[in-house]
């Protein structure tokens, strides 16, 4: 699954950059999302595979902090990029005549840089604040990776500040992009309803179908993880649900964006078979 995830996302990136027809804002954001998905999975799964091979579940303190830092960065980047892609679809459908002017190459690069900056600024304090905590000698995390919330709540010292920053980040990281996505799609839905022909409605909706599937998968799996974690913090179902959003979702994204997309399928054929 890890190999399919990395290979699938790298193929999407190569197909986009090798085909001039795909040098548009939508595919620029998709290439960035594919890169983030490959990195997101790579923060946890290689270490898990090594642990399975070595028959050891240990991770060093420095390794745990580093894993948490990069995991938070790429999880937040995934979320922010999905929101940026929703804005791109909003402009394309609601303001088609001004699309190329609004979504200029400069703005696209600025939006991606903004996503990176916010993600790093949110991840840095959360990870650094873990350094101030003291832990017991034998620390067991009921996960297959160092999940921030699980690590913080295994501390022997006061975690009030960590919890405060964590809740603030969750509201900003979860609520902000989700609100942007919901607003964009409410406007898109209004615009699609105003289209008179059925064919026009289908064409407009089909440009959003892949993105909507990716959003549903991303938020759906995260909700399952945290609902199952709150119901049974140490259950195997929590770890299984975590696999869904750390491996399955990034693995499925290339299929979601390529199977329903004629341009992407043509680009992949040209890349793989030189046709």
């Amino acid at each position: 699954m890890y190999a399919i995830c990395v290979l699938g996302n790298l193929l999407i990136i190569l197909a986009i950059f090798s085909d001039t027809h795909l040098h548009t804002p939508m595919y620029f954001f998709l290439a960035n999302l594919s890169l983030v998905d490959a990195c997101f999975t790579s923060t946890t799964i290689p270490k898990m595979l090594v642990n399975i091979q070595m028959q050891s579940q240990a991770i060093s303190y420095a390794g745990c902090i580093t894993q948490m830092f990069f995991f938070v960065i790429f999880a937040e980047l995934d979320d922010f990029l999905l929101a940026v892609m929703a804005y791109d679809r909003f402009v394309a459908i609601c303001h088609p005549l001004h699309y190329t002017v609004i979504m200029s190459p400069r703005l696209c690069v600025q939006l991606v840089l903004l996503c990176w900056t916010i993600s790093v600024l949110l991840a840095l304090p959360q990870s650094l604040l873990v350094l101030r905590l003291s832990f017991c000698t034998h620390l067991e995390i009921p996960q297959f990776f160092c999940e921030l919330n699980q690590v913080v709540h295994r501390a022997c010292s006061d975690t009030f500040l960590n919890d405060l920053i964590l809740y603030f980040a969750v509201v900003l990281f979860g609520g902000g992009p989700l609100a942007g996505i919901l607003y964009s799609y409410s406007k898109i839905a209004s615009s699609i309803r105003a289209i008179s022909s059925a064919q026009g409605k289908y064409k407009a909706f089909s440009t959003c179908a892949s993105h909507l599937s990716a959003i549903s998968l991303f938020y759906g799996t995260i909700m399952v993880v945290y609902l199952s974690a709150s119901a049974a913090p140490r259950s195997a179902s929590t770890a299984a649900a975590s696999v869904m959003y750390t491996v399955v979702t990034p693995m499925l994204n290339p299929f979601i964006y390529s199977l329903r997309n004629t341009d992407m399928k043509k680009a992949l054929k040209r890349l793989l078979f030189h046709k």
Side-chain angles (χ1 to χ4, degrees):
M1 285 170 69
Y2 175 65
I4 292 167
C5 173
V6 173
L7 184 63
N9 282 295
L10 288 178
L11 279 173
I12 293 286
I13 295 166
L14 289 171
I16 289 168
F17 281 97
S18 65
D19 195 324
T20 52
H21 296 98
L22 302 183
H23 291 179
T24 62
M26 182 177 79
Y27 292 108
F28 173 70
F29 295 133
L30 177 56
N32 279 278
L33 183 70
S34 293
L35 175 64
V36 169
D37 278 341
C39 294
F40 179 53
T41 308
S42 298
T43 59
T44 56
I45 304 306
K47 174 61 180 169
M48 184 187 75
L49 295 174
V50 169
N51 286 354
I52 292 168
Q53 188 66 30
M54 303 294 289
Q55 294 187 340
S56 165
Q57 293 178 314
I59 187 169
S60 68
Y61 180 69
C64 188
I65 300 292
T66 305
Q67 191 182 65
M68 275 192 295
F69 175 66
F70 285 105
F71 182 84
V72 172
I73 283 179
F74 293 121
E76 288 169 352
L77 266 170
D78 236 331
D79 198 24
F80 287 123
L81 282 171
L82 285 171
V84 167
M85 290 171 81
Y87 174 70
D88 172 71
R89 293 298 83 210
F90 159 71
V91 176
I93 292 170
C94 300
H95 306 283
L97 298 177
H98 301 102
Y99 179 71
T100 52
V101 177
I102 296 170
M103 300 304 293
S104 64
R106 184 180 177 181
L107 178 66
C108 292
V109 171
Q110 286 174 342
L111 285 170
V112 170
L113 288 175
L114 182 65
C115 291
W116 275 94
T117 305
I118 295 171
S119 298
V120 171
L121 290 176
L122 281 172
L124 203 57
Q126 291 182 77
S127 303
L128 291 175
L129 280 169
V130 176
L131 297 173
R132 60 181 279 277
L133 299 175
S134 57
F135 296 93
C136 303
T137 310
H138 299 289
L139 175 66
E140 286 188 5
I141 303 161
Q143 264 289 11
F144 63 89
F145 66 98
C146 287
E147 201 263 330
L148 181 65
N149 193 43
Q150 297 277 8
V151 172
V152 168
H153 289 117
R154 295 294 174 281
C156 299
S157 53
D158 181 54
T159 62
F160 174 75
L161 186 58
N162 297 75
D163 289 332
L164 190 68
I165 297 295
L166 184 62
Y167 292 138
F168 171 76
V170 166
V171 170
L172 190 65
F173 154 56
L178 184 58
I181 289 167
L182 292 173
Y183 175 79
S184 295
Y185 274 103
S186 68
K187 293 292 183 182
I188 288 168
S190 299
S191 295
I192 290 174
R193 278 202 305 270
I195 298 170
S196 55
S197 69
Q199 189 179 356
K201 285 181 179 180
Y202 174 77
K203 190 178 178 181
F205 178 75
S206 64
T207 63
C208 306
S210 299
H211 185 242
L212 276 170
S213 301
I215 290 168
S216 303
L217 201 60
F218 181 79
Y219 281 103
T221 51
I222 287 177
M223 281 178 67
V224 168
V225 168
Y226 287 102
L227 286 173
S228 61
S230 60
R234 289 178 174 269
S235 70
S237 62
T238 304
S242 297
V243 172
M244 282 295 293
Y245 83 93
T246 55
V247 189
V248 177
T249 302
M251 183 187 74
L252 290 179
N253 276 347
F255 295 102
I256 289 169
Y257 282 101
S258 59
L259 292 175
R260 290 180 59 87
N261 191 311
T262 309
D263 293 331
M264 183 59 73
K265 281 193 277 191
K266 286 178 182 176
L268 285 168
K269 280 180 184 176
R270 279 192 286 268
L271 178 70
L272 295 171
F273 305 111
H274 305 286
K275 288 183 180 180

PDB file of all heavy atoms in Angstrom, residues 176-206:
ATOM      1  N   GLY A 176     -11.130  26.511   9.868  1.00  0.00           N
ATOM      2  CA  GLY A 176     -10.861  27.524   8.830  1.00  0.00           C
ATOM      3  C   GLY A 176     -10.979  26.982   7.415  1.00  0.00           C
ATOM      4  O   GLY A 176     -11.819  27.447   6.634  1.00  0.00           O
ATOM      5  N   PRO A 177     -10.155  25.980   7.048  1.00  0.00           N
ATOM      6  CA  PRO A 177     -10.249  25.417   5.697  1.00  0.00           C
ATOM      7  C   PRO A 177     -11.612  24.801   5.388  1.00  0.00           C
ATOM      8  O   PRO A 177     -12.120  24.948   4.273  1.00  0.00           O
ATOM      9  CB  PRO A 177      -9.157  24.337   5.697  1.00  0.00           C
ATOM     10  CG  PRO A 177      -8.193  24.784   6.717  1.00  0.00           C
ATOM     11  CD  PRO A 177      -9.018  25.425   7.789  1.00  0.00           C
ATOM     12  N   LEU A 178     -12.213  24.123   6.388  1.00  0.00           N
ATOM     13  CA  LEU A 178     -13.527  23.506   6.163  1.00  0.00           C
ATOM     14  C   LEU A 178     -14.588  24.568   5.872  1.00  0.00           C
ATOM     15  O   LEU A 178     -15.433  24.381   4.987  1.00  0.00           O
ATOM     16  CB  LEU A 178     -13.939  22.665   7.377  1.00  0.00           C
ATOM     17  CG  LEU A 178     -15.254  21.884   7.255  1.00  0.00           C
ATOM     18  CD1 LEU A 178     -15.220  20.929   6.069  1.00  0.00           C
ATOM     19  CD2 LEU A 178     -15.561  21.137   8.540  1.00  0.00           C
ATOM     20  N   ALA A 179     -14.527  25.683   6.596  1.00  0.00           N
ATOM     21  CA  ALA A 179     -15.469  26.788   6.351  1.00  0.00           C
ATOM     22  C   ALA A 179     -15.286  27.339   4.935  1.00  0.00           C
ATOM     23  O   ALA A 179     -16.266  27.626   4.230  1.00  0.00           O
ATOM     24  CB  ALA A 179     -15.258  27.894   7.388  1.00  0.00           C
ATOM     25  N   GLY A 180     -14.022  27.461   4.510  1.00  0.00           N
ATOM     26  CA  GLY A 180     -13.725  27.928   3.151  1.00  0.00           C
ATOM     27  C   GLY A 180     -14.246  26.977   2.093  1.00  0.00           C
ATOM     28  O   GLY A 180     -14.798  27.403   1.072  1.00  0.00           O
ATOM     29  N   ILE A 181     -14.091  25.674   2.340  1.00  0.00           N
ATOM     30  CA  ILE A 181     -14.570  24.644   1.409  1.00  0.00           C
ATOM     31  C   ILE A 181     -16.098  24.686   1.304  1.00  0.00           C
ATOM     32  O   ILE A 181     -16.657  24.671   0.203  1.00  0.00           O
ATOM     33  CB  ILE A 181     -14.087  23.243   1.847  1.00  0.00           C
ATOM     34  CG1 ILE A 181     -12.578  23.105   1.626  1.00  0.00           C
ATOM     35  CG2 ILE A 181     -14.828  22.146   1.078  1.00  0.00           C
ATOM     36  CD1 ILE A 181     -11.948  21.904   2.305  1.00  0.00           C
ATOM     37  N   LEU A 182     -16.769  24.763   2.459  1.00  0.00           N
ATOM     38  CA  LEU A 182     -18.240  24.793   2.478  1.00  0.00           C
ATOM     39  C   LEU A 182     -18.781  26.043   1.792  1.00  0.00           C
ATOM     40  O   LEU A 182     -19.769  25.976   1.043  1.00  0.00           O
ATOM     41  CB  LEU A 182     -18.760  24.716   3.918  1.00  0.00           C
ATOM     42  CG  LEU A 182     -18.531  23.381   4.639  1.00  0.00           C
ATOM     43  CD1 LEU A 182     -18.935  23.492   6.105  1.00  0.00           C
ATOM     44  CD2 LEU A 182     -19.290  22.245   3.960  1.00  0.00           C
ATOM     45  N   TYR A 183     -18.118  27.182   2.023  1.00  0.00           N
ATOM     46  CA  TYR A 183     -18.546  28.439   1.383  1.00  0.00           C
ATOM     47  C   TYR A 183     -18.375  28.342  -0.139  1.00  0.00           C
ATOM     48  O   TYR A 183     -19.283  28.707  -0.903  1.00  0.00           O
ATOM     49  CB  TYR A 183     -17.744  29.618   1.929  1.00  0.00           C
ATOM     50  CG  TYR A 183     -18.045  30.921   1.221  1.00  0.00           C
ATOM     51  CD1 TYR A 183     -19.192  31.647   1.531  1.00  0.00           C
ATOM     52  CD2 TYR A 183     -17.194  31.411   0.224  1.00  0.00           C
ATOM     53  CE1 TYR A 183     -19.481  32.831   0.870  1.00  0.00           C
ATOM     54  CE2 TYR A 183     -17.479  32.595  -0.443  1.00  0.00           C
ATOM     55  CZ  TYR A 183     -18.632  33.305  -0.114  1.00  0.00           C
ATOM     56  OH  TYR A 183     -18.914  34.469  -0.772  1.00  0.00           O
ATOM     57  N   SER A 184     -17.206  27.842  -0.575  1.00  0.00           N
ATOM     58  CA  SER A 184     -16.931  27.719  -2.017  1.00  0.00           C
ATOM     59  C   SER A 184     -17.961  26.829  -2.692  1.00  0.00           C
ATOM     60  O   SER A 184     -18.507  27.171  -3.745  1.00  0.00           O
ATOM     61  CB  SER A 184     -15.523  27.148  -2.246  1.00  0.00           C
ATOM     62  OG  SER A 184     -14.546  28.039  -1.775  1.00  0.00           O
ATOM     63  N   TYR A 185     -18.275  25.693  -2.057  1.00  0.00           N
ATOM     64  CA  TYR A 185     -19.210  24.757  -2.684  1.00  0.00           C
ATOM     65  C   TYR A 185     -20.674  25.197  -2.580  1.00  0.00           C
ATOM     66  O   TYR A 185     -21.491  24.796  -3.405  1.00  0.00           O
ATOM     67  CB  TYR A 185     -18.999  23.345  -2.142  1.00  0.00           C
ATOM     68  CG  TYR A 185     -17.908  22.634  -2.912  1.00  0.00           C
ATOM     69  CD1 TYR A 185     -16.631  22.489  -2.379  1.00  0.00           C
ATOM     70  CD2 TYR A 185     -18.140  22.165  -4.198  1.00  0.00           C
ATOM     71  CE1 TYR A 185     -15.619  21.877  -3.108  1.00  0.00           C
ATOM     72  CE2 TYR A 185     -17.142  21.555  -4.932  1.00  0.00           C
ATOM     73  CZ  TYR A 185     -15.886  21.418  -4.385  1.00  0.00           C
ATOM     74  OH  TYR A 185     -14.893  20.821  -5.124  1.00  0.00           O
ATOM     75  N   SER A 186     -20.989  26.032  -1.603  1.00  0.00           N
ATOM     76  CA  SER A 186     -22.347  26.593  -1.559  1.00  0.00           C
ATOM     77  C   SER A 186     -22.552  27.543  -2.735  1.00  0.00           C
ATOM     78  O   SER A 186     -23.614  27.556  -3.369  1.00  0.00           O
ATOM     79  CB  SER A 186     -22.582  27.329  -0.235  1.00  0.00           C
ATOM     80  OG  SER A 186     -21.779  28.493  -0.149  1.00  0.00           O
ATOM     81  N   LYS A 187     -21.512  28.329  -3.055  1.00  0.00           N
ATOM     82  CA  LYS A 187     -21.565  29.239  -4.211  1.00  0.00           C
ATOM     83  C   LYS A 187     -21.563  28.452  -5.520  1.00  0.00           C
ATOM     84  O   LYS A 187     -22.255  28.815  -6.483  1.00  0.00           O
ATOM     85  CB  LYS A 187     -20.374  30.212  -4.181  1.00  0.00           C
ATOM     86  CG  LYS A 187     -20.421  31.205  -3.030  1.00  0.00           C
ATOM     87  CD  LYS A 187     -21.565  32.188  -3.201  1.00  0.00           C
ATOM     88  CE  LYS A 187     -21.614  33.233  -2.113  1.00  0.00           C
ATOM     89  NZ  LYS A 187     -22.768  34.149  -2.283  1.00  0.00           N
ATOM     90  N   ILE A 188     -20.764  27.372  -5.567  1.00  0.00           N
ATOM     91  CA  ILE A 188     -20.710  26.519  -6.759  1.00  0.00           C
ATOM     92  C   ILE A 188     -22.069  25.874  -7.015  1.00  0.00           C
ATOM     93  O   ILE A 188     -22.556  25.849  -8.156  1.00  0.00           O
ATOM     94  CB  ILE A 188     -19.608  25.440  -6.609  1.00  0.00           C
ATOM     95  CG1 ILE A 188     -18.217  26.073  -6.720  1.00  0.00           C
ATOM     96  CG2 ILE A 188     -19.764  24.333  -7.659  1.00  0.00           C
ATOM     97  CD1 ILE A 188     -17.073  25.174  -6.310  1.00  0.00           C
ATOM     98  N   ALA A 189     -22.698  25.383  -5.952  1.00  0.00           N
ATOM     99  CA  ALA A 189     -24.027  24.748  -6.067  1.00  0.00           C
ATOM    100  C   ALA A 189     -25.051  25.737  -6.602  1.00  0.00           C
ATOM    101  O   ALA A 189     -25.882  25.391  -7.466  1.00  0.00           O
ATOM    102  CB  ALA A 189     -24.466  24.210  -4.717  1.00  0.00           C
ATOM    103  N   SER A 190     -25.001  26.998  -6.130  1.00  0.00           N
ATOM    104  CA  SER A 190     -25.923  28.042  -6.611  1.00  0.00           C
ATOM    105  C   SER A 190     -25.702  28.322  -8.094  1.00  0.00           C
ATOM    106  O   SER A 190     -26.661  28.480  -8.856  1.00  0.00           O
ATOM    107  CB  SER A 190     -25.716  29.331  -5.807  1.00  0.00           C
ATOM    108  OG  SER A 190     -25.990  29.111  -4.447  1.00  0.00           O
ATOM    109  N   SER A 191     -24.436  28.377  -8.500  1.00  0.00           N
ATOM    110  CA  SER A 191     -24.111  28.638  -9.907  1.00  0.00           C
ATOM    111  C   SER A 191     -24.550  27.490 -10.811  1.00  0.00           C
ATOM    112  O   SER A 191     -25.055  27.710 -11.912  1.00  0.00           O
ATOM    113  CB  SER A 191     -22.604  28.865 -10.067  1.00  0.00           C
ATOM    114  OG  SER A 191     -22.205  30.036  -9.403  1.00  0.00           O
ATOM    115  N   ILE A 192     -24.356  26.240 -10.331  1.00  0.00           N
ATOM    116  CA  ILE A 192     -24.747  25.069 -11.129  1.00  0.00           C
ATOM    117  C   ILE A 192     -26.265  25.014 -11.298  1.00  0.00           C
ATOM    118  O   ILE A 192     -26.775  24.691 -12.373  1.00  0.00           O
ATOM    119  CB  ILE A 192     -24.198  23.764 -10.499  1.00  0.00           C
ATOM    120  CG1 ILE A 192     -22.668  23.708 -10.650  1.00  0.00           C
ATOM    121  CG2 ILE A 192     -24.836  22.529 -11.138  1.00  0.00           C
ATOM    122  CD1 ILE A 192     -21.996  22.551  -9.942  1.00  0.00           C
ATOM    123  N   ARG A 193     -26.999  25.359 -10.218  1.00  0.00           N
ATOM    124  CA  ARG A 193     -28.474  25.378 -10.301  1.00  0.00           C
ATOM    125  C   ARG A 193     -28.969  26.390 -11.321  1.00  0.00           C
ATOM    126  O   ARG A 193     -30.027  26.205 -11.930  1.00  0.00           O
ATOM    127  CB  ARG A 193     -29.073  25.695  -8.925  1.00  0.00           C
ATOM    128  CG  ARG A 193     -29.168  24.492  -7.998  1.00  0.00           C
ATOM    129  CD  ARG A 193     -30.223  24.700  -6.916  1.00  0.00           C
ATOM    130  NE  ARG A 193     -30.005  25.927  -6.162  1.00  0.00           N
ATOM    131  CZ  ARG A 193     -29.271  26.015  -5.055  1.00  0.00           C
ATOM    132  NH1 ARG A 193     -28.661  24.932  -4.589  1.00  0.00           N
ATOM    133  NH2 ARG A 193     -29.137  27.163  -4.421  1.00  0.00           N
ATOM    134  N   ALA A 194     -28.208  27.473 -11.485  1.00  0.00           N
ATOM    135  CA  ALA A 194     -28.614  28.532 -12.420  1.00  0.00           C
ATOM    136  C   ALA A 194     -28.378  28.168 -13.886  1.00  0.00           C
ATOM    137  O   ALA A 194     -28.912  28.819 -14.787  1.00  0.00           O
ATOM    138  CB  ALA A 194     -27.857  29.821 -12.091  1.00  0.00           C
ATOM    139  N   ILE A 195     -27.578  27.108 -14.139  1.00  0.00           N
ATOM    140  CA  ILE A 195     -27.321  26.666 -15.516  1.00  0.00           C
ATOM    141  C   ILE A 195     -28.575  25.979 -16.053  1.00  0.00           C
ATOM    142  O   ILE A 195     -29.151  25.109 -15.404  1.00  0.00           O
ATOM    143  CB  ILE A 195     -26.105  25.703 -15.571  1.00  0.00           C
ATOM    144  CG1 ILE A 195     -24.830  26.423 -15.086  1.00  0.00           C
ATOM    145  CG2 ILE A 195     -25.892  25.163 -16.988  1.00  0.00           C
ATOM    146  CD1 ILE A 195     -23.642  25.503 -14.872  1.00  0.00           C
ATOM    147  N   SER A 196     -29.011  26.378 -17.247  1.00  0.00           N
ATOM    148  CA  SER A 196     -30.285  25.893 -17.794  1.00  0.00           C
ATOM    149  C   SER A 196     -30.203  24.472 -18.340  1.00  0.00           C
ATOM    150  O   SER A 196     -31.080  23.643 -18.093  1.00  0.00           O
ATOM    151  CB  SER A 196     -30.783  26.842 -18.890  1.00  0.00           C
ATOM    152  OG  SER A 196     -29.781  26.994 -19.887  1.00  0.00           O
ATOM    153  N   SER A 197     -29.129  24.144 -19.079  1.00  0.00           N
ATOM    154  CA  SER A 197     -29.052  22.824 -19.719  1.00  0.00           C
ATOM    155  C   SER A 197     -28.521  21.758 -18.757  1.00  0.00           C
ATOM    156  O   SER A 197     -27.656  22.028 -17.922  1.00  0.00           O
ATOM    157  CB  SER A 197     -28.148  22.882 -20.953  1.00  0.00           C
ATOM    158  OG  SER A 197     -26.801  23.089 -20.578  1.00  0.00           O
ATOM    159  N   ALA A 198     -29.039  20.546 -18.908  1.00  0.00           N
ATOM    160  CA  ALA A 198     -28.605  19.406 -18.083  1.00  0.00           C
ATOM    161  C   ALA A 198     -27.147  19.054 -18.372  1.00  0.00           C
ATOM    162  O   ALA A 198     -26.394  18.689 -17.469  1.00  0.00           O
ATOM    163  CB  ALA A 198     -29.498  18.202 -18.352  1.00  0.00           C
ATOM    164  N   GLN A 199     -26.764  19.187 -19.649  1.00  0.00           N
ATOM    165  CA  GLN A 199     -25.394  18.870 -20.049  1.00  0.00           C
ATOM    166  C   GLN A 199     -24.413  19.864 -19.409  1.00  0.00           C
ATOM    167  O   GLN A 199     -23.335  19.475 -18.953  1.00  0.00           O
ATOM    168  CB  GLN A 199     -25.266  18.931 -21.577  1.00  0.00           C
ATOM    169  CG  GLN A 199     -23.916  18.398 -22.076  1.00  0.00           C
ATOM    170  CD  GLN A 199     -23.806  18.432 -23.588  1.00  0.00           C
ATOM    171  OE1 GLN A 199     -24.759  18.789 -24.276  1.00  0.00           O
ATOM    172  NE2 GLN A 199     -22.649  18.061 -24.103  1.00  0.00           N
ATOM    173  N   GLY A 200     -24.808  21.123 -19.357  1.00  0.00           N
ATOM    174  CA  GLY A 200     -23.981  22.163 -18.740  1.00  0.00           C
ATOM    175  C   GLY A 200     -23.804  21.923 -17.253  1.00  0.00           C
ATOM    176  O   GLY A 200     -22.713  22.101 -16.699  1.00  0.00           O
ATOM    177  N   LYS A 201     -24.900  21.506 -16.609  1.00  0.00           N
ATOM    178  CA  LYS A 201     -24.842  21.197 -15.169  1.00  0.00           C
ATOM    179  C   LYS A 201     -23.902  20.022 -14.906  1.00  0.00           C
ATOM    180  O   LYS A 201     -23.099  20.053 -13.970  1.00  0.00           O
ATOM    181  CB  LYS A 201     -26.243  20.862 -14.643  1.00  0.00           C
ATOM    182  CG  LYS A 201     -27.140  22.075 -14.476  1.00  0.00           C
ATOM    183  CD  LYS A 201     -28.503  21.672 -13.923  1.00  0.00           C
ATOM    184  CE  LYS A 201     -29.375  22.917 -13.747  1.00  0.00           C
ATOM    185  NZ  LYS A 201     -30.709  22.593 -13.223  1.00  0.00           N
ATOM    186  N   TYR A 202     -24.023  18.983 -15.744  1.00  0.00           N
ATOM    187  CA  TYR A 202     -23.180  17.796 -15.570  1.00  0.00           C
ATOM    188  C   TYR A 202     -21.708  18.143 -15.774  1.00  0.00           C
ATOM    189  O   TYR A 202     -20.844  17.695 -15.002  1.00  0.00           O
ATOM    190  CB  TYR A 202     -23.590  16.706 -16.568  1.00  0.00           C
ATOM    191  CG  TYR A 202     -22.680  15.503 -16.543  1.00  0.00           C
ATOM    192  CD1 TYR A 202     -22.778  14.554 -15.510  1.00  0.00           C
ATOM    193  CD2 TYR A 202     -21.707  15.320 -17.517  1.00  0.00           C
ATOM    194  CE1 TYR A 202     -21.933  13.459 -15.467  1.00  0.00           C
ATOM    195  CE2 TYR A 202     -20.849  14.228 -17.484  1.00  0.00           C
ATOM    196  CZ  TYR A 202     -20.969  13.303 -16.460  1.00  0.00           C
ATOM    197  OH  TYR A 202     -20.119  12.229 -16.419  1.00  0.00           O
ATOM    198  N   LYS A 203     -21.413  18.950 -16.793  1.00  0.00           N
ATOM    199  CA  LYS A 203     -20.031  19.335 -17.096  1.00  0.00           C
ATOM    200  C   LYS A 203     -19.431  20.132 -15.937  1.00  0.00           C
ATOM    201  O   LYS A 203     -18.277  19.916 -15.545  1.00  0.00           O
ATOM    202  CB  LYS A 203     -19.979  20.159 -18.382  1.00  0.00           C
ATOM    203  CG  LYS A 203     -18.571  20.399 -18.888  1.00  0.00           C
ATOM    204  CD  LYS A 203     -18.580  21.175 -20.202  1.00  0.00           C
ATOM    205  CE  LYS A 203     -17.155  21.437 -20.673  1.00  0.00           C
ATOM    206  NZ  LYS A 203     -17.129  22.221 -21.936  1.00  0.00           N
ATOM    207  N   ALA A 204     -20.227  21.062 -15.383  1.00  0.00           N
ATOM    208  CA  ALA A 204     -19.754  21.885 -14.261  1.00  0.00           C
ATOM    209  C   ALA A 204     -19.513  21.024 -13.021  1.00  0.00           C
ATOM    210  O   ALA A 204     -18.504  21.170 -12.336  1.00  0.00           O
ATOM    211  CB  ALA A 204     -20.767  22.987 -13.952  1.00  0.00           C
ATOM    212  N   PHE A 205     -20.455  20.100 -12.756  1.00  0.00           N
ATOM    213  CA  PHE A 205     -20.323  19.247 -11.573  1.00  0.00           C
ATOM    214  C   PHE A 205     -19.162  18.267 -11.714  1.00  0.00           C
ATOM    215  O   PHE A 205     -18.475  17.978 -10.736  1.00  0.00           O
ATOM    216  CB  PHE A 205     -21.619  18.461 -11.331  1.00  0.00           C
ATOM    217  CG  PHE A 205     -21.541  17.526 -10.162  1.00  0.00           C
ATOM    218  CD1 PHE A 205     -21.590  18.005  -8.857  1.00  0.00           C
ATOM    219  CD2 PHE A 205     -21.393  16.158 -10.364  1.00  0.00           C
ATOM    220  CE1 PHE A 205     -21.492  17.138  -7.776  1.00  0.00           C
ATOM    221  CE2 PHE A 205     -21.304  15.289  -9.289  1.00  0.00           C
ATOM    222  CZ  PHE A 205     -21.354  15.781  -7.991  1.00  0.00           C
ATOM    223  N   SER A 206     -18.938  17.755 -12.931  1.00  0.00           N
ATOM    224  CA  SER A 206     -17.879  16.750 -13.147  1.00  0.00           C
ATOM    225  C   SER A 206     -16.494  17.314 -12.843  1.00  0.00           C
ATOM    226  O   SER A 206     -15.586  16.558 -12.471  1.00  0.00           O
ATOM    227  CB  SER A 206     -17.928  16.214 -14.578  1.00  0.00           C
ATOM    228  OG  SER A 206     -17.659  17.252 -15.501  1.00  0.00           O
TER     229      SER A 206
END
